[in-house]
Amino acid sequence: MRLSRFFLPILRETPKEAEIVSHRLMLRAGMMRQEAAGIYAFLPLGLRVLEKVCDIVREEQNRSGAIEMLMPTIQSADLWRESGRYDVYGKEMLRIKDRHEREMLFGPTNEEMVTEIFRAYVRSYKDLPLNLYHIQWKFRDEVRPRFGLMRGREFLMKDAYSFDVDQAGATHAYNRMFVAYLRTFERMGLKAIPMIADTGPIGGNLSHEFIILASTGESEVYCHRDYLDFPIPGADVNFDDVSALQAIVNKWTSLYAATSEKHNAATFATLSTEKQVSARGIEVGHIFYFGTKYSEPMKAVVAGPDGGEKPVHMGSYGIGPSRLVAAIIEAHHDDAGIKWPEAVAPFKAIILNLKQGDSATDRAAETLYRELTGKGIDVLYDDLDARPGAKFATADLIGIPWQVLVGPKGLAEGKVEVKRRMDGGRELMTPADAVARLMQ
């Protein structure tokens, strides 16, 4: 993509309403624009990152055995009355009426709807286990939306829903998601710690929030320091191995880790001082097991081996891809701008033509651009007629992992400079070697 043809509305000044790093940088880098309180348009650069995040989420959900579908954003109030949640959910739910005065709502979550779909088609225990997920926009009318995507009103959510014949099966479904979440966040360059959490309006008696430590986190969290060094399960993890998955979950829940709502100061105090971590945290995922909370009132039952009907055991599992974009920035940035991990970067490399209009630099930059795009490398080519300093500032601000600097001085020696944004490392090399490096 040529920058001269790309829509990238960079802001030179920091917007006054932006209170935290991710909010400031997303606005300045032209990733999003606020359209109403807590409601944002994703501009092209931001959308590319959001799509990369969703791709990773999908891959790990599919790997774990979950099946993707898509449910509508508008739901019938009658479904929520069946579960008993319509009148108790609170003002966060946006309630509306259609032209026929039927009561509807803009879905904040989908337990009721997915249960209605399940009960319409599944009749036997032989069709279980089942885990259905989708990635869909949600709306919760926050009383005070703030911090950009961290606490917005409209947000993108991956929500999965598991159905099992009994508690043992549901526990394995929970463990599948637990391990899938560890892998998902690690692939995005995040170390997420699962913490015992409050179940809130979703309900149930088992819940973990996946928290990354960041100074701009919403609340205080507490954990054992050893969690920061725990290895993440590899791509070869067997999601069908009940005992192996349970062993992973046991390890990751063996030490103290709790959100502020579940914090036990006395228990935490028994840890040695050097093992105590008290910090701010950002929630990037939340999983729940709630048994028959929805299946009983909504009559989602299956015939068991003995022919008798019984309500299914359910769980729900959420990840906020739009919030994750902001969380990744909170974890990876410096004073100059964003430092994207390669897996979620909008482009892998940016070519900076440091003397636009010079025949040698134009030719070298164009050749690099054609070679890289021809080899499938996602590259942004800064072909604007601007000063080198301005190009450096833009490249650092938007955080592309690799910068290829093409200038007259280096070309005189047959070299270009390759800079790695994450650690600032620089190296002079031939254009052919630069292509080979970016192919790795």
Side-chain angles (χ1 to χ4, degrees):
M1 175 63 67
R2 297 175 186 273
L3 188 53
S4 59
R5 300 176 187 171
F6 193 59
F7 182 57
L8 185 65
I10 297 290
L11 300 181
R12 299 303 174 189
E13 301 295 328
T14 299
K16 294 180 180 179
E17 71 272 17
E19 301 178 61
I20 63 173
V21 169
S22 59
H23 194 188
R24 291 196 297 268
L25 290 178
M26 289 191 74
L27 292 174
R28 284 198 56 217
M31 293 181 64
M32 68 180 191
R33 176 174 175 79
Q34 180 171 310
E35 298 299 332
I39 299 175
Y40 295 87
F42 272 81
L43 304 183
L45 193 75
L47 181 60
R48 291 178 74 93
V49 177
L50 184 63
E51 289 176 338
K52 296 283 184 69
V53 168
C54 288
D55 287 345
I56 292 174
V57 170
R58 279 193 175 94
E59 288 168 12
E60 294 303 328
Q61 288 294 287
N62 295 345
R63 188 196 303 274
S64 75
I67 303 167
E68 187 172 9
M69 61 180 299
L70 182 61
M71 290 175 271
T73 56
I74 302 300
Q75 303 182 32
S76 167
D78 291 341
L79 280 178
W80 284 65
R81 289 196 174 97
E82 280 192 59
S83 71
R85 284 206 300 174
Y86 185 73
D87 294 319
V88 300
Y89 196 88
K91 292 184 178 180
E92 289 76 23
M93 181 192 290
L94 181 62
R95 294 166 168 84
I96 56 180
K97 290 184 178 181
D98 66 13
R99 67 195 304 165
H100 301 292
E101 294 299 308
R102 289 178 294 226
E103 292 181 298
M104 313 289 284
L105 58 98
F106 195 127
T109 184
N110 276 72
E111 281 80 8
E112 284 81 2
M113 182 169 285
V114 76
T115 303
E116 187 274 333
I117 292 171
F118 173 88
R119 74 184 180 190
Y121 299 108
V122 181
R123 297 282 185 267
S124 170
Y125 75 97
K126 295 179 181 179
D127 297 320
L128 303 179
L130 181 64
N131 189 321
L132 300 173
Y133 80 94
H134 69 163
I135 299 176
Q136 178 217 54
W137 290 97
K138 300 282 198 291
F139 186 90
R140 294 176 189 168
D141 200 0
E142 291 278 354
V143 63
R144 189 187 174 198
R146 57 194 303 226
F147 299 152
L149 298 181
M150 285 297 180
R151 185 165 293 185
R153 293 194 295 164
E154 186 179 62
F155 53 95
L156 192 61
M157 176 68 71
K158 184 288 303 181
D159 38 325
Y161 304 91
S162 63
F163 302 86
D164 288 272
V165 71
D166 54 25
Q167 184 173 353
T171 298
H172 182 53
Y174 188 92
N175 291 346
R176 282 174 179 261
M177 289 291 103
F178 190 106
V179 174
Y181 276 34
L182 291 174
R183 286 191 42 74
T184 298
F185 302 128
E186 191 270 341
R187 288 184 59 188
M188 298 176 191
L190 300 173
K191 188 59 175 279
I193 302 170
M195 300 189 180
I196 294 292
D198 185 63
T199 58
I202 301 296
N205 55 13
L206 176 60
S207 176
H208 284 89
E209 285 183 9
F210 287 76
I211 303 289
I212 64 167
L213 305 183
S215 60
T216 52
E218 304 148 292
S219 59
E220 196 80 6
V221 296
Y222 307 85
C223 70
H224 196 291
R225 187 170 299 277
D226 287 0
Y227 276 123
L228 301 177
D229 299 318
F230 275 13
I232 302 298
D236 59 348
V237 63
N238 184 353
F239 283 95
D240 294 322
D241 190 327
V242 175
S243 60
L245 281 195
Q246 188 64 62
I248 295 171
V249 174
N250 289 346
K251 179 179 176 64
W252 278 90
T253 55
S254 61
L255 303 176
Y256 188 88
T259 58
S260 55
E261 295 90 348
K262 292 291 188 177
H263 178 52
N264 185 311
T267 302
F268 186 66
T270 63
L271 303 181
S272 59
T273 304
E274 65 272 15
K275 294 297 185 181
Q276 293 180 0
V277 174
S278 174
R280 308 294 293 182
I282 298 172
E283 177 195 341
V284 290
H286 203 162
I287 61 177
F288 305 82
Y289 163 65
F290 40 70
T292 59
K293 173 181 171 64
Y294 299 93
S295 57
E296 282 196 34
M298 297 186 69
K299 298 180 174 56
V301 299
V302 294
D306 60 357
E309 290 189 336
K310 56 190 303 185
V312 292
H313 287 246
M314 294 176 57
S316 68
Y317 316 91
I319 288 178
S322 53
R323 166 183 277 235
L324 269 171
V325 174
I328 293 167
I329 294 173
E330 294 293 335
H332 298 289
H333 69 273
D334 60 15
D335 291 341
I338 304 165
K339 299 161 69 171
W340 292 115
E342 282 193 32
V344 295
F347 298 92
K348 182 172 183 175
I350 180 170
I351 298 171
L352 305 181
N353 186 340
L354 302 184
K355 195 172 182 181
Q356 191 72 32
D358 178 84
S359 60
T361 58
D362 285 357
R363 183 167 56 253
E366 290 283 347
T367 300
L368 268 173
Y369 177 60
R370 287 195 301 270
E371 286 191 24
L372 289 170
T373 53
K375 294 181 181 297
I377 300 295
D378 220 0
V379 60
L380 180 64
Y381 173 26
D382 188 344
D383 59 345
L384 300 179
D385 185 10
R387 293 178 293 104
K391 295 193 175 193
F392 298 149
T394 295
D396 283 347
L397 174 62
I398 65 178
I400 308 304
W402 295 93
Q403 300 175 13
V404 183
L405 284 55
V406 183
K409 185 176 179 180
L411 286 179
E413 302 176 7
K415 303 286 183 67
V416 296
E417 185 175 15
V418 177
K419 173 186 173 183
R420 189 169 186 265
R421 177 71 179 99
M422 188 63 76
D423 58 15
R426 296 170 179 264
E427 186 177 353
L428 283 172
M429 59 182 70
T430 66
D433 287 342
V435 172
R437 173 66 57 83
L438 294 173
M439 286 292 292
Q440 293 176 358

